[in-house]
Amino acid sequence: MNVHGTGARRPELVERALRGTPAHSLPEALATAVGELFPAAGPARILLADYHLRVLLPADRALPGDPEREAVNVHGTAAGRAFASLAPVLDPGPGHVLYVPVTARGERLGVLAVPFTAPSEEADRADLAEIGRLTGEALAVAWNHTDRYERARRHRRLSLAAELQWQLLPGQGCAGDEFSLAGHLEPAYSIGGDGYDWSSEPDHLALTVINGAGTGIRAALLTSLTLGALRNARRSGADLSEQVSLAGDTVYGRHGGEQFTETLVMRIELASGLVSVIDAGSPRILRMRGPQVTPIELERQLPPGMFADTEYHPEHFRLLPGDRLVIVSDGVFGGDGGDGDAFPVDRAVRRTRLLPAPEVPPSIIAALVEHRRGRDLTDDAVVVCLDWKGAATRTAGGADPAGPGR
């Protein structure tokens, strides 16, 4: 596709080229457009983050586990620094490769690698950073129309339970003017019953974390049923109490009280930072305000599905700009090092103070694995991080109907 001669800016021309190509052909269309618009650039490549967020894999048609497929480590590489920092990084080594983040509405998908025959100009770097964002948006649209990108991001084969779980989730990141949000699951390639969900609306953010009972396919199906019921109720306009009650009745109707899902359901008002939350199980919330990490103490209500016709009552607290919430399942706070020593999750959260939200969940999971002396996790683990920036229209010093934060 010839993208010259229209008078438009280079990112706009790339966007047109991506929009006019089939979903499965984005990498080739991108390489062609970048090659025509940046004469000093070599072939551009898309590298996608794997499920672990530990390596970056080329968006080719190789099968998971193909030994011929190059994997670039996130830790200790220029490509990994671009992915982690969400900023362009120039590798001054052979090839003068510029790595720019590929993101879609706050979710990190990978990086764009562009080699140059000579050091790149500042204008080139600025345009390619924008092209990285446009590539992410195009990938997000194309993702569900082809298996190419799902296949490309797999460092090895997923278990069937993990396949069900990952397809159920909203992604691994989301951002708005008021917040930055990220979630991660481990063991990524064989996850079973834990999960999370979110929905960004004009006036609020909905957030759910689930610790499904059991393991494998059985746990994945239970989590799928619970999240489906919660979404159905939420999308029908039900309030927080009704959402959890209806989900509980659905699970009870299917399993008769023999299975249940420990669930945390939240709603954050974007204009005020007011959080309404129902704690119906084991997921826990820790808040970092400045250097202090404290648990949010809530009434523990019955997990959905344990009994029929259970009523739920939300509690409230308020977020202040700069607050960080970290939500963890029992696979995290219940983890031990093999000799009974509990994982110090509060310390792990405190160590993330200088990290951006997308880096927090994998950092805490890495600390958990280190605490276990490198041994594989024996339970599903979910970590969700919410950084609250505060609304631009927020009134400083206004009345707080919910009282002081816990």
Side-chain angles (χ1 to χ4, degrees):
M1 175 181 292
N2 192 320
V3 294
H4 286 300
T6 66
R9 296 173 57 246
R10 289 186 294 187
E12 294 170 353
L13 293 171
V14 172
E15 183 180 24
R16 292 179 191 175
L18 295 178
R19 197 165 54 233
T21 196
H24 56 76
S25 299
L26 290 183
E28 291 76 22
L30 177 69
T32 298
V34 170
E36 291 183 7
L37 294 168
F38 296 82
R45 302 175 70 203
I46 299 173
L47 306 178
L48 298 175
D50 87 315
Y51 284 93
H52 276 307
L53 303 180
R54 295 175 190 168
V55 296
L56 299 164
L57 300 164
D60 56 25
R61 291 183 174 84
L63 295 174
D66 187 338
E68 300 299 321
R69 193 163 60 135
E70 173 191 3
V72 179
N73 287 330
V74 168
H75 180 70
T77 66
R81 289 196 299 275
F83 177 74
S85 67
L86 296 177
V89 172
L90 178 64
D91 186 347
H96 299 285
V97 181
L98 178 68
Y99 296 99
V100 298
V102 174
T103 62
R105 300 186 182 277
E107 180 172 11
R108 303 177 303 170
L109 301 179
V111 297
L112 177 62
V114 185
F116 280 84
T117 56
S120 57
E121 301 291 335
E122 183 176 349
D124 292 338
R125 295 193 291 271
D127 279 356
L128 285 167
E130 185 174 349
I131 287 169
R133 292 190 294 272
L134 294 172
T135 300
E137 297 289 348
L139 276 171
V141 173
W143 205 280
N144 291 330
H145 296 276
T146 175
D147 283 341
R148 180 176 187 179
Y149 310 114
E150 274 294 331
R151 185 167 56 241
R153 71 178 294 209
R154 299 179 183 205
H155 202 33
R156 64 176 188 266
R157 184 171 180 172
L158 288 171
S159 70
L160 180 54
E163 186 82 50
L164 294 173
Q165 283 296 85
W166 282 111
Q167 296 304 312
L168 185 67
L169 301 182
Q172 289 180 285
C174 179
D177 293 338
E178 302 86 357
F179 66 90
S180 181
L181 181 62
H184 189 53
L185 295 173
E186 288 285 351
Y189 287 83
S190 57
I191 194 74
D194 287 6
Y196 57 79
D197 189 28
W198 54 61
S199 176
S200 176
E201 304 298 334
D203 61 343
H204 73 275
L205 173 69
L207 176 59
T208 300
V209 177
I210 285 182
N211 179 25
T215 59
I217 293 292
R218 185 177 184 180
L221 291 174
L222 178 61
T223 298
S224 178
L225 177 64
T226 305
L227 275 182
L230 286 168
R231 284 173 174 168
N232 180 261
R234 186 181 73 217
R235 292 166 181 172
S236 299
D239 62 26
L240 214 61
S241 299
E242 292 173 317
Q243 291 173 31
V244 184
S245 294
L246 290 171
D249 289 345
T250 300
V251 174
Y252 184 86
R254 175 66 179 84
H255 295 285
E258 295 182 359
Q259 297 290 318
F260 54 84
T261 48
E262 297 178 312
T263 305
L264 185 80
V265 183
M266 304 170 63
R267 175 185 168 113
I268 301 101
E269 304 298 334
L270 298 181
S272 64
L274 178 64
V275 181
S276 301
V277 56
I278 292 174
D279 180 356
S282 66
R284 296 182 183 176
I285 309 175
L286 295 97
R287 180 185 60 204
M288 183 160 61
R289 179 170 288 171
Q292 301 298 318
V293 176
T294 55
I296 301 293
E297 301 292 346
L298 299 166
E299 176 191 355
R300 193 68 55 84
Q301 302 181 56
L302 293 172
M306 183 172 285
F307 298 101
D309 301 322
T310 304
E311 294 185 0
Y312 294 91
H313 307 283
E315 299 176 80
H316 308 278
F317 64 93
R318 188 177 292 280
L319 294 172
L320 300 179
D323 280 356
R324 167 171 286 173
L325 295 184
V326 177
I327 306 167
V328 297
S329 67
D330 64 357
V332 178
F333 65 76
D336 65 72
D339 52 8
D341 53 330
F343 175 57
V345 63
D346 55 341
R347 189 186 310 162
V349 171
R350 192 175 297 110
R351 288 175 178 170
T352 70
R353 184 179 179 188
L354 300 180
L355 296 178
E359 280 296 287
V360 173
S363 174
I364 293 175
I365 293 292
L368 174 62
V369 172
E370 181 180 357
H371 179 76
R372 292 179 50 80
R373 298 167 178 85
R375 291 178 295 113
D376 291 339
L377 301 182
T378 56
D379 190 12
D380 295 345
V382 58
V383 180
V384 174
C385 176
L386 170 68
D387 278 358
W388 179 251
K389 305 172 189 177
T393 57
R394 181 184 177 126
T395 302
D400 186 350
R406 293 176 183 268

